[in-house]
Amino acid sequence: MGTGQDPGGSSGPAGLGDARARRRGIGTRGRVALVVIGVVAVAAGAIAVVRAGHRTDVPGQSAGSVMPGTAERTAGAADGRVRDARTVWPEAVASLPKTSADGLGYRPVTALGPTEILLTAGPSFEEPKRFDVYDMKTGRSRTLVTLVPGADGYVQGGVEVGEDYIAWYGRRPKEPRSWVDFWVAPRQGGDPIRVGEVTGELAGIDRFGVSGDHVVWSPEAGGVYRMPIGGGKPEKIPGTDGLWLASWPWARNVPAESDIETGLPDTNQNVLADLRTGVRQNMIPLPGGTRRQGIIPPGATGLRCSRQWCVGRLDGGAVAVRVDQSDLRRVPWTMTEPEVYGDRFVVVLQGTTSMIYDLATGKAGGITAPSADGRSASYGQGNSSSPTAVFFWDAQQGDDYDVLNLAAIPELE
């Protein structure tokens, strides 16, 4: 992976040059992991290469720059030495083969639980043949779903895991109009079910997901739509004007595409809505509101909130606060994008080493494989539509990846 080779068969820095266009087309997650310093932004599921140098988009800060009244909790790298994620969270890291037993390339999607990882298996990233499940404890894989071959020019878009179903959609990039079709399969395995298709504006997917009886998605223009798994026409979920799907059943008032590419990286999220109940929760007051201890101060930008944490940028660094407006602190090092993974993790950068930082415990673990000359490093992240729970890197430069499963990291340590 020092050369940036990914499991889908596209090569490193040269192969990442079309990542933005590919991300626009396939809707992998609609988010950019800005970890290539001054070079290129990479899509979710691609291999990110970190080069030595200085960032210009998000100035960093030291581990010691902690806001007054908060405790410094940076176990794992507080002494300046970066510890590998396998050392910090041994129960959450395993070796994952790069290819299946029949020679197909593996690409992680996300976690199915603390011991299982969903994979696509195929000759390329956009043309998987099936979904496999990798068991971290036994080191074995099993086939979950065999996909229905598409027509010429048909490629797979995003993948998402729900409580009952795995969902995905396909595209025909050469068609003159936007077009996607939706598929699901039982989470425990079984035959694929074609749900239906949409065209035009509804086919420009920002994020999508799956409930117990519908596929759900947001087009780039906003709103949240659904289509019955048993068949039927798409309909807009009432009350979702001005909202975009975050991760089912949650929606927020900023799209996934509000990144540096769209010119909207500073847009603040201050709403999280439960689409099952219609209840909207005001997360963090927008800058300019009343200042109280535990609320991100005025001037914070790019706020993004999960069910537990909000993160944003402030005064050349990054800050985090719990949704209940407690536990305000600086995020150590450089936060590469304002996105919360697994409800409490962010990606941070120290030098050329990317790390997963646990907002709840303050622990950090490295997820990059350095090149032979030490001038660059790389890692990959799972290809789910909502924020993935899986990151991987080629520590040994061999036949296996090291893979970190966020779902396996204990919440209280």
Side-chain angles (χ1 to χ4, degrees):
M1 196 143 118
T3 60
Q5 184 71 30
D6 75 25
S10 62
S11 62
L16 295 177
D18 64 347
R20 290 183 182 178
R22 185 175 62 186
R23 179 175 60 86
R24 279 287 190 184
I26 64 176
T28 55
R29 240 182 62 229
R31 292 188 300 279
V32 176
L34 296 173
V35 294
V36 181
I37 304 175
V39 180
V40 67
V42 251
I47 302 299
V49 181
V50 184
R51 301 188 184 281
H54 297 286
R55 294 179 57 86
T56 57
D57 53 299
V58 187
Q61 68 284 330
S62 70
S65 60
V66 181
M67 299 190 73
T70 63
E72 179 180 3
R73 292 186 293 177
T74 55
D79 58 359
R81 294 179 300 167
V82 177
R83 296 168 61 196
D84 187 87
R86 186 183 286 272
T87 301
V88 179
W89 301 296
E91 70 280 17
V93 178
S95 295
L96 169 71
K98 296 178 182 178
T99 58
S100 63
D102 56 352
L104 297 177
Y106 270 153
R107 180 179 294 275
V109 176
T110 194
L112 292 176
T115 63
E116 292 188 328
I117 295 172
L118 180 67
L119 311 169
T120 59
S124 72
F125 165 58
E126 294 183 336
E127 297 177 322
K129 300 296 185 183
R130 63 176 187 261
F131 292 116
D132 285 4
V133 176
Y134 179 72
D135 189 309
M136 295 173 61
K137 289 191 175 296
T138 66
R140 296 178 180 177
S141 300
R142 71 179 192 278
T143 296
L144 193 68
V145 180
T146 299
L147 303 181
V148 177
D152 289 344
Y154 181 90
V155 297
Q156 182 187 294
V159 183
E160 189 65 6
V161 174
E163 292 184 1
D164 301 307
Y165 293 99
I166 296 169
W168 64 98
Y169 64 89
R171 298 170 43 254
R172 294 174 183 159
K174 295 182 180 179
E175 289 236 351
R177 62 175 181 172
S178 297
W179 177 96
V180 300
D181 67 344
F182 297 105
W183 295 77
V184 299
R187 180 168 168 151
Q188 299 306 314
D191 294 330
I193 302 168
R194 190 176 188 269
V195 178
E197 64 184 60
V198 293
T199 59
E201 184 177 275
L202 291 185
I205 297 176
D206 184 69
R207 276 189 185 166
F208 90 112
V210 59
S211 68
D213 47 15
H214 290 80
V215 291
V216 293
W217 75 97
S218 284
E220 294 173 356
V224 183
Y225 293 77
R226 63 189 174 194
M227 181 181 288
I229 289 174
K233 295 182 178 180
E235 64 173 355
K236 190 174 186 178
I237 298 177
T240 61
D241 288 340
L243 296 178
W244 285 262
L245 185 68
S247 179
W248 176 261
W250 306 100
R252 62 190 188 184
N253 64 326
V254 292
E257 285 284 2
S258 55
D259 53 41
I260 198 169
E261 180 184 345
T262 65
L264 300 173
D266 294 337
T267 304
N268 286 310
Q269 175 193 349
N270 71 324
V271 171
L272 190 66
D274 188 338
L275 298 179
R276 296 168 301 187
T277 64
V279 174
R280 293 193 181 202
Q281 180 179 5
N282 290 326
M283 308 300 295
I284 297 295
L286 290 176
T290 303
R291 293 190 65 169
R292 291 187 290 138
Q293 184 176 2
I295 295 178
I296 291 182
T301 61
L303 300 179
R304 297 293 181 271
C305 300
S306 69
R307 291 172 295 175
Q308 298 182 30
W309 288 90
C310 293
V311 295
R313 300 186 175 109
L314 179 67
D315 297 333
V319 288
V321 64
R322 290 185 185 271
V323 167
D324 64 6
Q325 302 177 1
S326 66
D327 207 5
L328 175 66
R329 89 273 297 277
R330 289 277 187 188
V331 175
W333 311 290
T334 298
M335 186 174 67
T336 57
E337 60 172 331
E339 188 66 85
V340 183
Y341 298 87
D343 279 337
R344 72 179 209 268
F345 302 93
V346 293
V347 180
V348 295
L349 183 69
Q350 183 182 36
T352 59
T353 301
S354 292
M355 297 179 286
I356 295 296
Y357 176 63
D358 188 343
L359 295 167
T361 65
K363 290 188 176 182
I367 57 168
T368 47
S371 62
D373 60 9
R375 295 177 59 83
S376 65
S378 55
Y379 73 93
Q381 62 188 72
N383 180 41
S384 57
S385 181
S386 61
T388 186
V390 169
F391 293 81
F392 58 101
W393 62 102
D394 192 359
Q396 303 300 319
Q397 305 291 319
D399 295 331
D400 297 333
Y401 291 116
D402 281 359
V403 58
L404 171 64
N405 181 353
L406 301 182
I409 300 177
E411 186 165 359
L412 298 176
E413 297 180 322

